[in-house]
Amino acid sequence: MSHSNSSAKVSFTDISLAEYTLDTLPLLKQLRLGLLAEKPEVCIERARHYTKSLESAPEDQSSELRYANAAKYFLSRKTPLFFDDNRLAGTTGSKPFCAPVYPEWTGLTIWPELDTISNREKNPLKLTREAADELNFKIYPYWMDRNILEYTRKKHGNPKSMRIFERIVFFLATKAGCISHTIPCYTLALEKGVEYIIEDAASKEAALINSGDRDGETLKKIDFYKAVQIAMEGVIAYAQNLSREASRLADRETDPDRAENYRQMAEVCGQVPAKPARTFREAVNALWLIQVAIHAENINMAMSPGRLDQILYRYYRADMDRGDLTVEAAMELVGCLWLKLNDNTNLVPETAEELFGGAGTVPAVTVGGVDEEGEDAVNDLTYIMLRVTELLKTRDPSLNARFHYEKNSVEYRDRIAQVIVNTKAVPAYLNDVTNIQVLKEQGTEEKDARDYAVIGCVELGVPGRSYDASSSIMLNLVSVLELALNNGKRPVTGDEQIGPVTGEPVNFETYDQFWGAFKTQFTWLAGKAVELNELFGRAYQEILPSPLLSSFFEGPMETGRDLISGGARYNSSGATHIGFADTVDSLNAIQQAVFVDKKCTFAELKAALEADFKGYEALHAYLVKRAPKYGTDNDIAKENSQKVIRFLYDFYQRHVNYRGGKYRPGYWTMTNHAGQGKLAGALPNGRKAHQVFASGITPVSQAAEALTTSLRMIAELESKCIASGEALNYKFPSVPDREEVAALGQVVEAYCRQGGLHIQFNIMSYEDLIRAKEAPDDYPELLVRVSGYSAYFKDLNPAMKDEIITRTAYDIKTGRAVPFPEAYKEMMSNQ
């Protein structure tokens, strides 16, 4: 089955679609205002039904059947709700803006907060007294020993890798909270319907039964195919309930427009997703209903819809050719989908707000680029989706624009730049030429690599073919540096010996000795992270399969194996790294200051770090101003950044995961670089204690003076070694006219031609952001790009706000760094 559309054409004479505004699209304007006014509420509907189903499940029933039955039990009882005049039926939860509880994963983390979560200072989530009591007395007790964290801990006797993970400051093993971060493919369900998937699974189950084999592997496959059928029946039941409720509401509605919308939704849900989509509206609604169903089974974190301009184009084109659809109506439906994707948020305990505060659920949508044949895939829907994003300016979906500098037009390149300028933050650019090559080097077939999409933040996946679990490990590189500096200990964890004994750096006679200690500490720590990810992965295989999600991938249906058991065509696990630039700059500083310039001894450097540079002002000034900086043309900086990238790549590629795929390193940080920075001591690069780290793979703020040099140095990093993606953040105070928009497009193209993978921008000045921090109520909708996704600036924690404020801003005309305001220099990490 073809996943992209090689016959795509662009028919618009004005690709900006400037004639369409929120005033000409009043429904979107109304729905947007409604969304932004909603306050998030905790939704326990799923937790209630899943718990009830699993409590009554036979103990000897396979985990596949237990969870498939739970999905069906919930979906068939899920309340059909219509909160507003959106053209699409279906909701993630029982509240207009919900934070669903997933007790298998992070749901229990708010147990201590049940009485306070509604009024907590950081991002409160409304929770009724009745719902809190139900969680406290009925739901949570069942899950105390059955959630994935406690199951794994008990089975393996609370291993050291888990105890290190729970210190938070070394690495995060995200399987404790999710197995999401992937891209299903909706094409089969749209073209043939969910009933076809049921029939296919039933046929394969019958074939296995008729084979007469009864070995353990065959029985497991039979249960998998049964589980797919059961889960899909739940998806259909939910759509049918929506259809009946919409029909009932239509009969009672006195407003003729609203009544007609109900009638149309009743008809749509009577058709899809059970049967093939016949129209653009049915295709969009079917896609949304399947997204809702996937969130019924798996937590709402980075389950990304993929290349929607490609998946939906055939329905759009057919309707337009028949005269059944207008551009205005298509924009309205795309806008309705964008707003539906914003109807849910994460359930995050207050303590985790420092690491994840402000993040949405990051369903990534990817547009543009080339098709499976390597030809220009940009079509009318690409521009419609760009225009809708430009008008709505919502946190989700996280929009990513693929750009192939040999196949895509300059007009398309510059249209993306214009949307970034107008939204001030989105979309991000993805370089097709390099990204496709990176995937091919990981063993992905070329036509599949050409069909890649973004998972969550910046990671690359092939929709419906690769199961990447791209956020499996989030490792703090600065913790490795501190272990090397302190012979296996970290200041934040006191005198406890955490890592291996690698020697006191004061006794090292060469830089290579310190680099050797760094490599030893990394190998040990990353090894523990991989070990724990493997334990979690095998625990999932035992108790938490995903038959519903597996139905939307190639591989599981052919082999009878769930995604978590390696059923997908391509498998990998991702490990991303926090504090890359600060670590590299610290290595640079050690090499230059201690061993080249001999500006200080290692003992003096360590004493300065312990004193947070108090009394060592001259050394601090040298480290800040003279030590080599990543992102500049300095040879030491270039060598160290390349060495770190290569060393980490070689380490991970040696490890094969529980599904048979390799580990891939990446460099994106969400908001962890701000939170982890608050927990780290002073560093040799001059960063003072408890200050933020630089984001993603971006140079340290104010370290790289020249824009083009900085971009060239990053683009020259060995791209194959960044197989799980990078987040590169840049900032311009303004891009005021068409000529400068084109200049922004040229900057991006030059970066792509030099080999860069990804780049994203914030278009705002230091002063704008400082005002937004000081008066958040005056900037309620200010959208910013964090480290791979978008967030409302007001929702970020103070450290993350400071990080975005202090990011280097460049003048688009001169390419030089804009001086940071003197009056606010105390915000800088090295002040």
Side-chain angles (χ1 to χ4, degrees):
M1 177 173 293
S2 176
H3 295 266
S4 57
N5 194 315
S6 60
S7 62
K9 302 292 182 185
V10 176
S11 64
F12 299 139
T13 53
D14 173 19
I15 58 174
S16 73
L17 301 172
E19 66 181 292
Y20 302 98
T21 67
L22 286 182
D23 288 332
T24 68
L25 298 164
L27 176 64
L28 294 187
K29 185 176 185 178
Q30 168 203 325
L31 294 175
R32 177 180 183 274
L33 289 173
L35 170 75
L36 294 174
E38 290 289 350
K39 303 298 182 189
E41 299 180 64
V42 177
C43 172
I44 70 166
E45 188 179 33
R46 177 197 178 273
R48 174 191 297 142
H49 289 308
Y50 260 71
T51 304
K52 195 167 184 179
S53 175
L54 292 167
E55 279 178 333
S56 61
E59 290 193 2
D60 60 350
Q61 194 173 50
S62 69
S63 57
E64 286 83 0
L65 294 179
R66 285 165 57 85
Y67 266 85
N69 280 318
K72 180 179 178 180
Y73 186 88
F74 165 51
L75 285 168
S76 60
R77 288 164 175 77
K78 179 173 166 55
T79 311
L81 295 167
F82 299 85
F83 293 115
D84 54 27
D85 293 329
N86 197 299
R87 299 291 188 240
L88 306 180
T91 60
T92 301
S94 60
K95 315 291 183 186
F97 184 23
C98 71
V101 177
Y102 293 88
E104 306 96 311
W105 295 290
T106 59
L108 269 66
T109 60
I110 65 161
W111 201 344
E113 293 184 45
L114 292 180
D115 293 332
T116 59
I117 194 169
S118 296
N119 300 303
R120 70 186 188 189
E121 182 181 353
K122 299 172 183 173
N123 295 327
L125 299 168
K126 185 178 178 183
L127 177 66
T128 66
R129 185 69 264 164
E130 293 76 16
D133 287 345
E134 189 173 344
L135 288 172
N136 195 24
F137 299 115
K138 294 183 177 178
I139 295 174
Y140 284 165
Y142 174 81
W143 291 99
M144 280 183 64
D145 297 322
R146 293 180 173 88
N147 64 79
I148 193 69
L149 177 67
E150 294 308 319
Y151 176 87
T152 308
R153 186 200 310 280
K154 186 175 181 181
K155 175 159 185 169
H156 298 285
N158 197 21
K160 184 171 184 178
S161 55
M162 183 171 285
R163 285 178 275 136
I164 294 170
F165 152 58
E166 291 183 322
R167 297 294 186 91
I168 301 297
V169 296
F170 294 99
F171 64 80
L172 301 180
T174 62
K175 276 190 176 58
C178 65
I179 56 161
S180 52
H181 281 75
T182 194
I183 315 168
C185 183
Y186 301 113
T187 305
L188 180 66
L190 298 189
E191 292 185 359
K192 297 191 175 183
V194 166
E195 287 179 351
Y196 169 84
I197 297 175
I198 293 175
E199 292 167 5
D200 188 32
S203 171
K204 289 182 166 63
E205 178 198 354
L208 286 173
I209 292 173
N210 293 334
S211 72
D213 293 338
R214 290 296 180 269
D215 58 276
E217 185 65 21
T218 301
L219 292 175
K220 192 171 180 63
K221 289 181 179 181
I222 289 173
D223 273 1
F224 172 76
Y225 288 125
K226 283 181 179 174
V228 168
Q229 296 169 64
I230 293 167
M232 290 297 104
E233 288 166 1
V235 178
I236 294 175
Y238 178 53
Q240 291 173 338
N241 289 340
L242 284 166
S243 179
R244 281 190 288 270
E245 178 64 6
S247 181
R248 186 186 72 82
L249 291 171
D251 292 341
R252 297 176 56 180
E253 180 59 53
T254 56
D255 182 287
D257 292 338
R258 189 167 292 152
E260 176 59 22
N261 188 34
Y262 284 136
R263 272 191 286 274
Q264 290 192 30
M265 285 193 286
E267 182 180 343
V268 166
C269 292
Q271 174 71 19
V272 295
K275 302 179 188 307
R278 301 165 300 186
T279 66
F280 185 63
R281 178 167 182 166
E282 286 184 354
V284 175
N285 208 146
L287 190 148
W288 169 242
L289 288 173
I290 295 170
Q291 183 82 1
V292 168
I294 285 173
H295 282 164
E297 183 184 68
N298 272 291
I299 198 166
N300 58 337
M301 173 54 76
M303 284 295 186
S304 297
R307 304 184 72 185
L308 294 189
D309 61 339
Q310 307 302 305
I311 295 169
L312 295 170
Y313 182 72
R314 59 170 290 192
Y315 304 96
Y316 165 84
R317 187 75 269 155
D319 278 9
M320 292 294 286
D321 291 345
R322 285 195 300 264
D324 293 341
L325 185 70
T326 64
V327 172
E328 183 178 3
M331 291 186 69
E332 191 173 83
L333 285 167
V334 169
C336 283
L337 178 60
W338 264 219
L339 293 162
K340 281 287 186 182
L341 288 166
N342 280 274
D343 83 345
N344 62 103
T345 190
N346 302 125
L347 185 74
V348 178
E350 189 166 26
T351 50
E353 284 289 335
E354 297 298 332
L355 295 179
F356 299 106
T361 60
V362 203
V365 169
T366 304
V367 298
V370 297
D371 60 20
E372 290 180 357
E373 309 305 319
E375 299 301 324
D376 186 2
V378 174
N379 60 39
D380 284 355
L381 268 184
T382 311
Y383 290 113
I384 285 177
M385 290 176 179
L386 286 170
R387 180 58 175 160
V388 168
T389 300
E390 188 176 38
L391 292 174
L392 293 180
K393 298 182 179 69
T394 49
R395 180 171 65 178
D396 288 323
S398 178
L399 192 72
N400 300 275
R402 289 176 43 172
F403 173 59
H404 194 298
Y405 53 77
E406 293 176 345
K407 298 292 183 179
N408 296 144
S409 68
V410 170
E411 291 76 16
Y412 167 68
R413 180 199 74 185
D414 291 352
R415 175 61 187 142
I416 300 167
Q418 185 66 66
V419 176
I420 292 170
V421 170
N422 290 343
T423 61
K424 298 186 180 300
V426 288
Y429 278 99
L430 276 296
N431 179 10
D432 264 15
V433 175
T434 307
N435 284 316
I436 290 170
Q437 184 61 31
V438 167
L439 284 174
K440 286 169 61 180
E441 287 167 343
Q442 288 296 309
T444 306
E445 291 182 18
E446 185 166 29
K447 74 178 183 60
D448 291 336
R450 287 171 174 161
D451 197 34
Y452 80 90
V454 170
I455 308 166
C457 291
V458 298
E459 318 92 280
L460 310 177
V462 184
R465 280 153 282 175
S466 66
Y467 180 51
D468 302 287
S470 57
S471 73
S472 294
I473 296 168
M474 306 185 81
L475 191 140
N476 182 357
L477 265 186
V478 170
S479 73
V480 176
L481 179 79
E482 289 197 324
L483 288 172
L485 281 168
N486 297 285
N487 198 13
K489 301 177 183 178
R490 271 198 83 183
V492 71
T493 49
D495 198 42
E496 182 181 358
Q497 187 73 37
I498 300 291
V501 172
T502 48
E504 290 293 346
V506 295
N507 298 322
F508 292 164
E509 296 179 353
T510 66
Y511 172 72
D512 283 346
Q513 287 180 286
F514 184 77
W515 172 240
F518 179 89
K519 290 193 294 184
T520 300
Q521 296 293 350
F522 175 84
T523 300
W524 174 82
L525 186 62
K528 289 297 177 189
V530 168
E531 173 190 302
L532 184 56
N533 186 59
E534 293 296 302
L535 297 181
F536 275 132
R538 297 192 187 286
Y540 274 95
Q541 290 176 338
E542 294 169 16
I543 66 168
L544 270 176
S546 295
L548 196 154
L549 180 64
S550 298
S551 305
F552 301 104
F553 279 77
E554 292 180 14
M557 291 298 286
E558 289 76 13
T559 63
R561 281 195 298 167
D562 192 280
L563 279 179
I564 200 67
S565 296
R569 283 179 56 193
Y570 304 107
N571 285 282
S572 67
S573 292
T576 193
H577 300 88
I578 318 299
F580 172 77
D582 290 277
T583 300
V584 169
D585 279 356
S586 292
L587 293 171
N588 300 337
I590 292 168
Q591 185 172 358
Q592 184 79 34
V594 178
F595 298 103
V596 177
D597 286 353
K598 301 189 186 303
K599 186 72 178 178
C600 62
T601 65
F602 225 128
E604 289 168 336
L605 176 62
K606 285 197 64 178
L609 298 180
E610 290 169 7
D612 200 15
F613 297 109
K614 290 184 177 65
Y616 295 86
E617 285 74 17
L619 177 58
H620 181 252
Y622 165 86
L623 294 170
V624 171
K625 296 177 181 175
R626 302 291 299 277
K629 299 293 186 289
Y630 161 68
T632 70
D633 205 13
N634 182 280
D635 288 340
I636 287 178
K638 286 191 288 186
E639 182 183 3
N640 280 325
S641 57
Q642 295 281 11
K643 281 170 63 177
V644 171
I645 291 278
R646 167 53 76 170
F647 177 69
L648 268 59
Y649 174 75
D650 288 341
F651 170 85
Y652 286 112
Q653 289 282 286
R654 290 196 298 270
H655 289 77
V656 176
N657 69 18
Y658 57 95
R659 288 175 279 113
K662 290 183 178 179
Y663 280 79
R664 301 176 180 175
Y667 299 87
W668 47 275
T669 53
M670 298 180 71
T671 56
N672 283 267
H673 57 286
Q676 291 289 2
K678 287 292 183 184
L679 301 171
L683 297 179
N685 68 337
R687 172 197 157 280
K688 291 195 173 176
H690 314 306
Q691 299 297 312
V692 297
F693 301 146
S695 66
I697 204 163
T698 313
V700 168
S701 297
Q702 311 298 321
E705 174 70 21
L707 174 65
T708 53
T709 303
S710 173
L711 288 174
R712 178 163 51 84
M713 292 304 102
I714 297 162
E716 288 179 357
L717 292 172
E718 205 171 355
S719 57
K720 71 175 287 185
C721 299
I722 310 174
S724 195
E726 65 180 23
L728 179 61
N729 297 288
Y730 276 78
K731 189 166 72 180
F732 297 103
S734 67
V735 182
D737 55 39
R738 180 171 294 185
E739 184 179 328
E740 291 175 345
V741 169
L744 177 57
Q746 290 161 5
V747 166
V748 172
E749 181 164 340
Y751 174 66
C752 290
R753 287 183 179 276
Q754 290 163 342
L757 292 156
H758 162 280
I759 190 166
Q760 60 189 14
F761 302 94
N762 285 311
I763 311 297
M764 49 199 80
S765 68
Y766 301 123
E767 292 79 6
D768 289 341
L769 289 163
I770 290 168
R771 280 194 293 272
K773 183 184 179 187
E774 292 175 343
D777 292 342
D778 294 342
Y779 299 83
E781 300 172 14
L782 178 60
L783 201 63
V784 292
R785 204 68 179 167
V786 181
S787 184
Y789 63 90
S790 304
Y792 297 117
F793 188 71
K794 65 180 175 56
D795 292 341
L796 297 173
N797 61 53
M800 192 58 235
K801 288 178 180 175
D802 287 352
E803 193 276 311
I804 291 179
I805 290 170
T806 57
R807 283 180 190 171
T808 310
Y810 293 93
D811 186 311
I812 188 68
K813 290 181 178 176
T814 66
R816 307 299 298 180
V818 177
F820 194 79
E822 282 291 333
Y824 292 89
K825 279 208 166 179
E826 75 278 3
M827 295 174 71
M828 304 290 296
S829 65
N830 58 14
Q831 296 296 309

